Amino acid sequence: MQAVTAHPCSKDQTQIWADVLAQAVTGELIGALNYTTLAELYEDAAERAEALEHAQGERGHAASFTAAGRALGVQVVVNLEAQYWKRIRSIFLSRAQAGDLIGCILAQEVMLESFAVASYSVVAEAAPGELGATFARIAGEEGEHVAHAIELLQAERARDPGAFDARVHQMHEEIMTALAELIARDDPGGHCGLCQGSCVKGSLPAAGISLSEIRGASLQRYLKTLDEIGVPGESSLVWVAQLPV
Amino acid sequence: MPPIDFALIGHIESWNRAAAVISLLRGADRPPVSLEDVREIIPWIPPRVASQVTARSSQGRQVSGVYIDSFIPPDRLDSRFLRENLARVRAAAACAIKQGARVVTLGGFSSILLEGKTDLLPSHSETAFTTGNTLTVALIVKGMERALALAGRDLGASNVLIVGASGDVGSGCARWLAPKVKRLFLSARNPDRLRRFASEFLPLGSRVTADADLKQLIEKSDVVICAASMPAPQLLLDALPPGSIVCDAGYPKNVSPDFVPRDGAIFYGGLGQASAGIQLDPDLLGIMYPYSLSNVAHGCLLEGIVLAMEKRFEPFSQGRGLITPQRVENIWQNAQAHGIGLPPLFNADGLVEEDMRCLGPEVAP
């Protein structure tokens, strides 16, 4: 965890950053839980250790974001029961209980991490001073998690491309639908459980953040990751076209 | 990945068509996406295979390939976005190579962006790139011959104006037409490039005239071929003599939808029809070509298919204004041998062959 220095923000902007940080911290803690669960699925000791290391990394990211909030003078809300994150964790757990290691890797290291890398990168551009640097640094570290998964998933796909693509599609339908709803223009499921007061999405431009850019960049990063794994572009194109907007 | 015969690189011409593509991919059971959302999403989609393509030759042979959309946003088809668009074309080319395509055609704006510099593309010993422009030229000039024949006019008595004459397609049309028409007028926005190109025709004397100022040439012409690269349809050819014939071969279209030739007719050029059929899965063809005719596609895309049918996996059209009348006839014969030729003349309103017949042999002075 690095020290974060204070920087000037208006009261409204501070509240926006508090809500953005609440999503980031909660997402990181869900990630930490997912990596801990993932570790239990690995038979290989080295992979298990690496998953636990990733879990520790996610906790570190959460701590960094919380410190960034403190520097802004806000207490960052954490709510692991927040509806979208709870849903994502629940999907992940159901795959883990079924012993679906690949499904879990797809959910955490491809879908959630692609989303994190892209959205943090967009937010980093808008965030002032050290806060921006924190988002940028963590985006870079999350990118390493995505890279870790790609090689393993390429090999898995080579064994049975049809079955692999079907599994990606299944995980996409569950995880990416939840993420798409989380960053949809409106909240289809009502209050997300993290924003203090009304939904922050409409206020993001006041902090220089474009929700549209977050949506687009997340989609692009996800598609490029699937391309690298070898999922046919025409399949992933149809899948993303079918997401809620 | 086993090799495929061809890849067609293209992009969506308008936002409405982009919305139609997204709707098709979403399926009828999902709520439609607003145009606002489509405008927001499309620029972020990396180039990728959008459809599997199969095409049949009239000789019975079937070739298979892919349609790769570069997802250049329809409102970014101009030089301000050159770097971004080139990156998209390069990524689309890399995708074609990854697919194992033996010949790749650079449709629409893709070849214009490259200006013949195919060395800017990723290279692969088993993949050849063609602009597809030679077949486009063939379809334009053969379409023009047909339009004139329907009107009972003779190419040799026609005063033909080419807009975008110094481009790859325009220059190919000019070389093919120059020895056959009464007078040839050449227009292009870049005067230096136009002057250099026009010097090719010095032996023909005053029969060929070049002027970057389009207005100076319009009223002397009775046939116009529009082959300029423009981000949107904007040409108004109001000064054309009544009874003129206009071939809009631009991509996107050049001629403003507000323009109707006085007592004349306009048809879309550079498009061909595969009589034995082309299938796209998902079927984007009806969205890309929302006309009353089936199996219609741009000549540039069809050139890749013709080369695949001929097993000529070679960079047939390389851009840089190298299209000769001999090459035009060569690809035209190859295309016809596989049942690929001119569709009945049409425009956005439907078939126009009857309109051409009604024009009659005389153009008003």
Side-chain angles (χ1 to χ4, degrees), chain A residues 85-155:
Chain A
W85 292 111
K86 184 183 177 187
R87 186 166 135 203
I88 286 166
R89 173 66 179 154
S90 158
I91 296 162
F92 186 91
L93 275 179
S94 73
R95 295 318 309 156
Q97 278 156 11
D100 182 2
L101 173 66
I102 295 301
C104 288
I105 293 172
L106 285 164
Q108 179 58 40
E109 302 198 45
V110 172
M111 295 171 189
L112 290 167
E113 297 291 22
S114 291
F115 170 66
V117 172
S119 58
Y120 291 174
S121 300
V122 171
V123 171
E125 293 287 315
E130 284 295 320
L131 181 60
T134 301
F135 271 106
R137 173 177 61 80
I138 295 176
E141 289 172 12
E142 301 290 23
E144 290 168 19
H145 293 180
V146 180
H148 167 260
I150 287 172
E151 204 174 326
L152 185 150
L153 294 173
Q154 283 171 335

Side-chain angles (χ1 to χ4, degrees), chain B residues 314-332:
Chain B
E314 59 183 86
F316 187 84
S317 306
Q318 298 185 42
R320 308 180 194 189
L322 299 175
I323 298 172
T324 63
Q326 294 75 23
R327 302 280 284 172
V328 170
E329 291 303 331
N330 180 236
I331 195 73
W332 179 244

Side-chain angles (χ1 to χ4, degrees), chain B residues 250-333:
Chain B
Y251 185 81
K253 293 279 170 268
N254 289 173
V255 179
S256 165
D258 300 332
F259 172 74
V260 179
R262 271 181 302 159
D263 303 323
I266 183 165
F267 73 97
Y268 291 165
L271 291 125
Q273 190 171 35
S275 62
I278 308 174
Q279 276 86 42
L280 267 70
D281 180 23
D283 185 11
L284 304 183
L285 213 57
I287 296 170
M288 291 157 72
Y289 303 103
Y291 310 125
S292 53
L293 300 162
S294 58
N295 299 318
V296 165
H298 278 95
C300 53
L301 300 182
L302 290 171
E303 182 175 300
I305 291 173
V306 170
L307 291 172
M309 285 172 172
E310 285 285 302
K311 296 185 189 282
R312 291 177 68 174
F313 303 112
E314 59 183 86
F316 187 84
S317 306
Q318 298 185 42
R320 308 180 194 189
L322 299 175
I323 298 172
T324 63
Q326 294 75 23
R327 302 280 284 172
V328 170
E329 291 303 331
N330 180 236
I331 195 73
W332 179 244
Q333 281 162 20

Side-chain angles (χ1 to χ4, degrees), chain A residues 185 215 227 234 236 241 243, chain B residues 25-26 37 40 48 52:
Chain A
R185 201 172 280 125
R215 280 151 44 112
D227 290 349
E234 64 268 44
S236 53
L243 286 171
Chain B
L25 299 179
R26 276 176 79 77
D37 282 319
E40 203 177 286
R48 61 197 41 252
Q52 299 290 324

